[in-house]
Amino acid sequence: MSRSAHPAGPRHADVLPEGHYSAPPTDLNALDSKVWAETVTRDTDGVLTVGGIDVKRLAEEFGTPAYFLDEEDFRARARSWRTAFGDDADVFYAGKAFLSRAVVRWLHEEGLNLDVCSGGELATALSAGMPAERIAFHGNNKSTDEIRRAVEAGVGRIVLDSFQEIVRVAHIAQELGTRQRVQIRITVGVEAHTHEFIATAHEDQKFGIPLAGGQAAEAVRRALTLDGLELIGIHSHIGSQIFDMSGFEVAAHRVVGLLRDIRDEHGVELPEIDLGGGLGIAYTSDDDPREPHEIAKALTEIVTRECDAARLATPRISVEPGRAIVGPTAFTLYEVGTVKPLDGLRTYVSVDGGMSDNIRTALYDAEYSVALASRVSEAEPMLCRVVGKHCESGDIVVKDAFLPGDLAPGDLIAVPATGAYCRSMASNYNHVLRPPVVAVRDGEARVIVRRETEEDLLRLDVG
Ligand code: LLP
């Protein structure tokens, strides 16, 4: 659309600058269900509500910025992954997207397993009662202490990421007088269509053991000779925020090819394959994610077809969605502090958080949506950049989005789809305190991760 076709807000020059935005939505007050959690709606006064509670009340009780998580939506998404894959497959929620004890309990209740990638995540999972055998332990450089704790706890699988780790885990398991169930993570050499920093299956990166050049086959050879290990399968995770299924297809083809080679060389049919996580979600109305049942159908068909061709029994499949479960279930609520129109450019809207509660925009050029939450407005749209309170010009939460032209300090605005990789990647930059996560369900709100305090900061400062 031509730029002059954008309606000019009251604080705008007539011509809008180049940017990532598309045309302003016809109704700024409308909520696109693609990007908002299931129970989010507006009440009769036009105030955004979640789980039956309006954001003005939530802001009053819990302060801003804060993440509000729709518990019912989280459970429903977890359930739909579980149901889509059925009893012949396992769904491991990737805890790195967002982990807390409440989340662990919900996952347990909904029949999901859990992928952890550090001692801290393992401790959280165990302390909330996730049975160890339903935990998978990941990471490209697990410490020997972490490995020991995982083996001692009896985790269901450790995903081995290097030749050194094969030996380390075998040694620790033997020392502890046990055999550890393991998978080997391989890189299948596909270029996932996503941001460079979150693509993980091409060869030139740190994760996994390359299939190319026979390295993965050599890793299998070694793992099969070590008494401390029970090799149960092969693992591949191609990247994150992916919409195109073709990368998974290539990955499945190559993983099954390796299973066939292992059968031919060792006479062993490994019983499991894990195709990782990485399914994309809608951050803006332009994104069109797939439903879990479509993904399950596609992956199961690919693996079955490949196995039939290789005359292998179809192994048990597991997947590790993180973002696709928790991402859409939460939004971040901010209070507007300043509104600064820059003639001929855009209006800078400063909020009370920023890159410390959402680093994704700065780190991956991620796109987000935003809506005025504390009221509706019929004012003309104005092109805005939502920025934080940090001492960086890259401290951007939403790069280009339209908000009503009468936006003012004190208004509450909400950024949807911040459930994944926002609180879990939050920092204390500028000694800004990390926001709480509040779970809302059936008219009740409860803090599941409390707001950080200045005492928390000072407790660590022992100089
Ligand atoms: N499994 C493994 C082995 C992984 O490394 C990951 C993510 C997942 C599963 C879950 O991927 P998901 O379904 O959530 O896409 N911080 C980045 C994402 C990093 C993903 C790291 N690994 C972001 O904010 O986009």
Side-chain angles (χ1 to χ4, degrees):
M1 99 170 261
S2 81
R3 290 197 283 147
S4 57
H6 291 289
R11 296 170 186 156
H12 267 296
D14 283 342
V15 179
L16 292 170
E18 293 295 343
H20 283 232
Y21 54 93
S22 45
T26 42
D27 179 5
L28 275 183
N29 301 314
L31 301 169
D32 182 350
S33 61
K34 261 207 284 188
V35 297
W36 293 93
E38 194 60 34
T39 71
V40 171
T41 179
R42 287 193 189 270
D43 67 13
T44 47
D45 297 328
V47 182
L48 196 87
T49 71
V50 55
I53 312 185
D54 78 70
V55 294
K56 285 190 178 165
R57 217 181 99 196
L58 290 171
E60 218 166 276
E61 190 171 346
F62 301 102
T64 56
Y67 307 97
F68 292 99
L69 192 159
D70 184 341
E71 178 181 340
E72 201 44 60
D73 194 19
F74 183 99
R75 286 177 179 272
R77 285 174 198 274
R79 249 189 329 266
S80 69
W81 277 85
R82 182 81 202 82
T83 318
F85 278 87
D87 290 337
D88 296 330
D90 296 302
V91 181
F92 286 77
Y93 167 78
K96 61 200 74 132
F98 171 63
L99 197 65
S100 78
R101 294 207 273 203
V103 162
V104 174
R105 285 192 291 268
W106 302 339
L107 293 165
H108 190 187
E109 286 164 18
E110 302 298 343
L112 273 74
N113 300 349
L114 180 62
D115 138 12
V116 300
C117 66
S118 69
E121 287 187 358
L122 178 64
T124 305
L126 293 173
S127 79
M130 179 59 84
E133 64 273 15
R134 285 175 43 194
I135 298 176
F137 192 28
H138 273 280
N140 67 302
N141 188 18
K142 307 167 191 78
S143 71
T144 48
D145 176 57
E146 287 173 323
I147 295 170
R148 186 177 304 279
R149 281 161 58 202
V151 176
E152 266 171 354
V155 298
R157 65 174 67 158
I158 294 182
V159 181
L160 302 172
D161 199 275
S162 66
F163 283 95
Q164 285 90 353
E165 201 172 76
I166 292 173
V167 178
R168 259 175 226 155
V169 173
H171 182 73
I172 290 170
Q174 250 190 328
E175 237 178 45
L176 294 171
T178 181
R179 261 187 112 202
Q180 178 61 48
R181 289 159 58 86
V182 296
Q183 291 189 339
I184 294 177
R185 177 165 175 179
I186 65 166
T187 44
V188 292
V190 301
E191 302 282 337
H193 300 286
T194 188
H195 190 281
E196 179 195 349
F197 293 175
I198 51 178
T200 53
H202 53 296
E203 270 134 24
D204 191 0
Q205 44 89 27
K206 69 172 186 168
F207 292 109
I209 300 179
L211 191 57
Q215 288 203 54
E218 178 57 22
V220 168
R221 248 169 246 134
R222 293 197 197 170
L224 285 173
T225 61
L226 294 167
D227 288 340
L229 306 181
E230 180 188 347
L231 181 61
I232 58 166
I234 299 296
H235 183 285
S236 154
H237 169 75
I238 62 171
S240 207
Q241 185 60 4
I242 298 167
F243 292 106
D244 179 0
M245 293 297 287
S246 62
F248 290 98
E249 185 147 353
V250 178
H253 172 73
R254 297 192 180 158
V255 169
V256 172
L258 179 61
L259 293 187
R260 183 199 53 222
D261 294 348
I262 295 168
R263 190 248 345 252
D264 293 348
E265 182 177 342
H266 305 280
V268 176
E269 286 200 22
L270 297 184
E272 294 188 16
I273 75 172
D274 190 312
L275 293 171
L279 281 310
I281 63 162
Y283 285 103
T284 74
S285 298
D286 295 336
D287 296 325
D288 283 306
R290 302 252 190 144
E291 293 294 322
H293 68 267
E294 294 175 76
I295 295 159
K297 187 164 176 287
L299 292 183
T300 313
E301 277 175 10
I302 299 165
V303 174
T304 310
R305 194 182 60 226
E306 295 293 328
C307 287
D308 286 350
R311 280 173 290 103
L312 283 166
T314 306
R316 191 174 176 86
I317 300 173
S318 48
V319 286
E320 299 170 338
R323 186 193 319 264
I325 292 178
V326 70
T329 68
F331 62 82
T332 315
L333 190 66
Y334 299 102
E335 185 178 313
V336 173
T338 68
V339 178
K340 195 184 283 184
L342 298 184
D343 275 349
L345 294 170
R346 71 198 91 233
T347 298
Y348 278 77
V349 175
S350 292
V351 295
D352 46 359
M355 65 194 297
S356 54
D357 58 70
N358 187 349
I359 190 66
R360 298 193 68 260
T361 309
L363 198 53
Y364 314 115
D365 229 357
E367 289 185 25
Y368 281 92
S369 329
V370 60
L372 175 57
S374 46
R375 62 187 173 93
V376 282
S377 163
E378 297 311 321
E380 287 293 299
M382 64 174 173
L383 179 63
C384 293
R385 180 159 288 173
V386 179
V387 295
K389 60 182 287 169
H390 295 276
C391 304
E392 300 258 349
S393 46
D395 172 25
I396 297 169
V397 180
V398 187
K399 203 160 185 185
D400 289 300
F402 288 90
L403 281 165
D406 62 352
L407 191 77
D411 278 332
L412 299 174
I413 61 175
V415 174
T418 58
Y421 304 110
C422 286
R423 181 57 180 80
S424 68
M425 293 176 80
S427 76
N428 285 127
Y429 184 40
N430 298 143
H431 280 202
V432 168
L433 306 169
R434 284 179 292 182
V437 181
V438 180
V440 189
R441 186 188 191 187
D442 294 337
E444 274 177 37
R446 84 192 154 98
V447 175
I448 60 170
V449 178
R450 73 159 167 79
R451 187 183 298 284
E452 207 159 28
T453 62
E454 285 174 5
E455 292 74 62
D456 290 329
L457 287 184
L458 291 171
R459 215 177 8 240
L460 299 178
D461 186 335
V462 293

